[in-house]
Amino acid sequence: MAAPHPWLRFYGAVPPSLTYPDLSLYEAVAASARRFPDAVAYDFFGRTATYRALLAEIDRCADGLAALGLAAGDRMTLAMPTCPQGVVCFYAVNKLGAVASMIHPLSPPKEIELYLRMSGSRFVLTLDAFYGAVRRAVDAVPVDRILLARIPDYLPWAKALGFRLTKGRKIPRVPPDPAVTWWRDLLTAPAPRAPATPAGPDDPAVILYSGGTTGSPKGILLTNRNFVSEGMMVSAWAGLGPGDRILAILPIFHGFGLGVCVNAALMGGGQSILVPQFTPESVAELVRAKRPTLLVGVPTLFDALSRSPAFARADLSCLRATFSGADTLPRVVKEAFEAAVRRGGGEVQLLEGYGLTEAVTAVMAMPLGEYREGSVGVPFPDMLAKVVAPGTEEEAPLGEEGEICLSGPAVMAGYLDQPEETARVLRRHGDGRTWLHTGDLARRDGDGFFYFRQRLKRMIKSSGMNVYPSQVEEVLQRHPAVDYACVVGVPDRAQVERVKAFVVAKPGATPGAALEAELIAHCQEYLIKWCCPREVEFRAELPKTLVGKVAFNALQEEEKERLRARGEYAGE
């Protein structure tokens, strides 16, 4: 770092700066394979692959994709859960110099269509279970090839048989489709060896998605350097190396799951235990059977684990570090989880971290062995952070709240095809550095510890996932019965916040249960499940600010007061 910062005193054995190789993501994983060829890279329900085997799978996938026509500069959409095919394809796409566009596999057709248009993808990878939604999207936005995988492709034979006899029987049969290539065929069909496309550290590698203030999602363009550096930072911070095992519970379409649970593990030579679907019972069984050393997740995950009888019966002495991110960690959840671990024979602190997709994911966290009430920790090596007075570039006095700004190698290249929005958040300050204005409110103490307060941007956090009210409102207002809509987050024990819509119906429409169900179904056609309202309340009019805007804060306060009156909410 160019100058010392107070947080460096708390780094312990973590170096204050790292040396980042000028490598692509593929080349970084290949380097790990050379260092740790026989270490286990991933485990998927008992099916394991060493680093040597993982690299061979990536190479075979790249050969097949190149034979189908994927080339440098192309984009490929991956709509996959956390499973080997998604991980292998992610790095294979990078080997060819193409860009991976990561989306939720449960996205409805209209949303897939939107992402395909935004990314300009020529190829799509998804599971056979989601073929129908992808096919309908591809009817509107043609792509060259739909690559289909099956969960049993990588399951041990007994578990594969069990899957086919249970969940597999419910998956609709894929009809003959000339656009479809099956994953197994791709990896087994003869194909010329595809050389790695020379790629610089600043070349684009990944597109992740975030909502926007305009009601439309934004594509976040991340480079090889962004992902490699962030992975190395996380690995160094947690002391992650050979012998470590991390549960990859978080999805790979999310920066947290892809950047920390998979990529950081592979940068450090650790093992990623791939978990395509979370339940407290399945995680408890994996902890018992696989004995992970690291566990990262969102507050709702740790809350669910602390309440799970199956987790309570597991031997938890294997855990050496646990981190929570993506949302504020309630003290009651922290204490309940730590107590559950102690009962299971372990002794770890559940530490908070902070990050955002515009910097891949986590860029600061509490140092191991440290704890400060309410703090999300200190910046990782080579990441600078400061708090500025909102709307300015001037650093706020210590202890005063302001906007978090970040600078360093993990900060994104920009928003896809949105130069004005990029210029709004990536600004060159007087020190000559480019700083990311996060839109998040926090304060900093004299030791360099940061205390997250809230999102300056209007956003709902539901089960650790971002919900952008303006996007939901825009969908609601397409419905012919809706005159106006306002969407807010309502405090919820299980989800942190649940999505609620307030709607003014058009003349002639009949508010009531039937219209409520119709509007929720309408949202489900266009939006992923967690973005859809759980309830709709009809109003004759909505409260307004002095300048005539809908006062969404007033509606949120009404909901909080309602919950307080019932004894279901004690927050501010």
Side-chain angles (χ1 to χ4, degrees):
M1 291 184 178
H5 295 277
W7 53 75
L8 296 180
R9 295 188 291 116
F10 300 91
Y11 268 36
V14 178
S17 186
L18 305 173
T19 300
Y20 305 105
D22 288 341
L23 300 177
S24 68
L25 274 165
Y26 166 78
E27 291 168 335
V29 170
S32 291
R34 289 191 294 272
R35 294 198 307 273
F36 319 111
D38 298 319
V40 174
Y42 71 75
D43 183 310
F44 185 64
F45 294 109
R47 165 76 179 266
T48 62
T50 63
Y51 274 81
R52 181 189 288 114
L54 170 62
L55 187 62
E57 289 178 322
I58 293 168
D59 287 338
R60 286 199 304 274
C61 181
D63 295 344
L65 291 174
L68 290 174
L70 188 70
D74 286 340
R75 276 92 181 262
M76 179 170 180
T77 290
L78 277 62
M80 295 291 288
T82 304
C83 60
Q85 301 97 317
V87 173
V88 168
C89 190
F90 173 73
Y91 291 102
V93 167
N94 186 262
K95 179 182 180 180
L96 298 177
V99 178
S101 171
M102 312 297 289
I103 71 172
H104 197 304
L106 293 177
S107 298
K110 296 286 187 183
E111 195 168 84
I112 298 171
E113 178 184 332
L114 173 63
Y115 291 134
L116 292 177
R117 289 188 192 279
M118 288 179 66
S119 65
S121 290
R122 294 182 54 221
F123 285 60
V124 181
L125 168 67
T126 193
L127 291 178
D128 57 344
F130 311 129
Y131 166 79
V134 169
R135 178 72 261 181
R136 289 194 290 279
V138 167
D139 286 341
V141 187
V143 300
D144 293 356
R145 184 64 45 184
I146 300 172
L147 187 59
L148 288 184
R150 297 182 176 96
I151 285 292
D153 289 343
Y154 280 77
L155 290 177
W157 73 267
K159 289 183 178 177
L161 178 62
F163 181 90
R164 291 191 184 99
L165 293 175
T166 53
K167 294 182 180 179
R169 298 175 66 178
K170 301 174 185 176
I171 297 173
R173 192 175 191 85
V174 175
D177 185 340
V180 166
T181 295
W182 289 92
W183 177 265
R184 281 193 172 179
D185 295 337
L186 181 86
L187 265 62
T188 57
R193 188 63 183 263
T197 298
D202 296 318
D203 288 339
V206 188
I207 302 170
L208 299 178
Y209 293 91
S210 176
T213 56
T214 61
S216 298
K218 296 193 294 284
I220 296 170
L221 194 59
L222 298 159
T223 66
N224 285 298
R225 186 190 305 279
N226 293 153
F227 257 85
V228 171
S229 65
E230 200 274 342
M232 291 177 64
M233 291 175 204
V234 170
S235 180
W237 196 256
L240 197 160
D244 273 312
R245 298 171 300 281
I246 184 169
L247 278 185
I249 305 169
L250 301 168
I252 59 172
F253 65 83
H254 193 286
F256 203 173
L258 184 62
V260 172
C261 299
V262 174
N263 192 59
L266 298 182
M267 296 295 102
Q271 178 186 149
S272 185
I273 302 168
L274 306 178
V275 186
Q277 188 174 18
F278 167 79
T279 66
E281 291 71 30
S282 66
V283 170
E285 174 56 25
L286 285 168
V287 169
R288 185 196 65 76
K290 306 299 180 182
R291 297 189 59 75
T293 56
L294 299 169
L295 184 60
V296 300
V298 297
T300 49
L301 180 147
F302 292 108
D303 186 37
L305 290 178
S306 67
R307 295 165 176 270
S308 165
F311 190 74
R313 292 193 297 270
D315 178 359
L316 303 175
S317 61
C318 54
L319 293 173
R320 69 170 185 82
T322 56
F323 288 93
S324 176
D327 208 346
T328 300
L329 176 66
R331 180 63 184 263
V332 64
V333 173
K334 171 184 168 64
E335 292 176 346
F337 177 79
E338 290 174 349
V341 173
R342 285 195 297 274
R343 289 193 296 270
E347 190 63 47
V348 294
Q349 287 185 307
L350 180 54
L351 302 175
E352 278 195 83
Y354 166 82
L356 70 171
T357 313
E358 284 86 346
V360 184
T361 179
V363 290
M364 67 173 71
M366 288 296 296
L368 292 177
E370 286 282 339
Y371 176 67
R372 297 197 180 195
E373 180 74 30
S375 176
V376 293
V378 300
F380 288 164
D382 303 306
M383 288 303 298
L384 300 181
K386 62 183 179 180
V387 174
V388 303
T392 77
E393 298 175 1
E394 301 301 317
E395 196 157 0
L398 292 178
E400 289 192 11
E401 289 185 350
E403 182 184 14
I404 301 174
C405 289
L406 301 170
S407 184
V411 171
M412 68 173 180
Y415 292 119
L416 182 66
D417 301 326
Q418 294 193 45
E420 291 183 0
E421 188 72 4
T422 298
R424 187 183 68 79
V425 300
L426 292 181
R427 305 182 206 165
R428 188 172 293 276
H429 288 193
D431 58 6
R433 292 181 177 273
T434 296
W435 290 85
L436 168 66
H437 285 249
T438 65
D440 292 335
L441 195 66
R443 62 180 175 85
R444 204 201 88 184
D445 67 20
D447 288 333
F449 286 78
F450 286 75
Y451 299 78
F452 176 83
R453 179 67 175 87
Q454 66 179 35
R455 308 278 175 182
L456 284 173
K457 297 171 290 190
R458 188 180 161 212
M459 185 171 71
I460 299 167
K461 276 283 189 178
S462 184
S463 297
M465 298 300 180
N466 297 348
V467 179
Y468 297 88
S470 55
Q471 184 180 2
V472 186
E473 289 160 2
E474 193 252 342
V475 170
L476 279 167
Q477 285 165 195
R478 292 182 204 165
H479 192 281
V482 174
D483 185 34
Y484 208 88
C486 181
V487 171
V488 302
V490 178
D492 184 270
R493 170 70 184 178
Q495 297 174 274
V496 179
E497 290 182 292
R498 68 178 185 275
V499 181
K500 179 172 181 175
F502 293 85
V503 167
V504 176
K506 285 184 176 178
T510 305
L515 183 56
E516 179 183 27
E518 185 177 333
L519 293 180
I520 292 172
H522 170 73
C523 288
Q524 290 169 344
E525 183 180 353
Y526 292 90
L527 299 169
I528 198 75
K529 180 180 178 181
W530 65 69
C531 291
C532 298
R534 293 300 181 96
E535 58 180 316
V536 176
E537 182 175 327
F538 296 95
R539 296 279 185 98
E541 60 181 14
L542 298 176
K544 301 281 181 31
T545 66
L546 293 176
V547 296
K549 294 182 179 180
V550 174
F552 67 89
N553 286 332
L555 293 171
Q556 283 181 315
E557 283 305 313
E558 287 181 25
E559 291 301 304
K560 289 178 181 177
E561 283 301 324
R562 195 177 300 177
L563 292 175
R564 285 191 190 100
R566 297 204 300 254
E568 297 175 11
Y569 180 69
E572 297 177 358

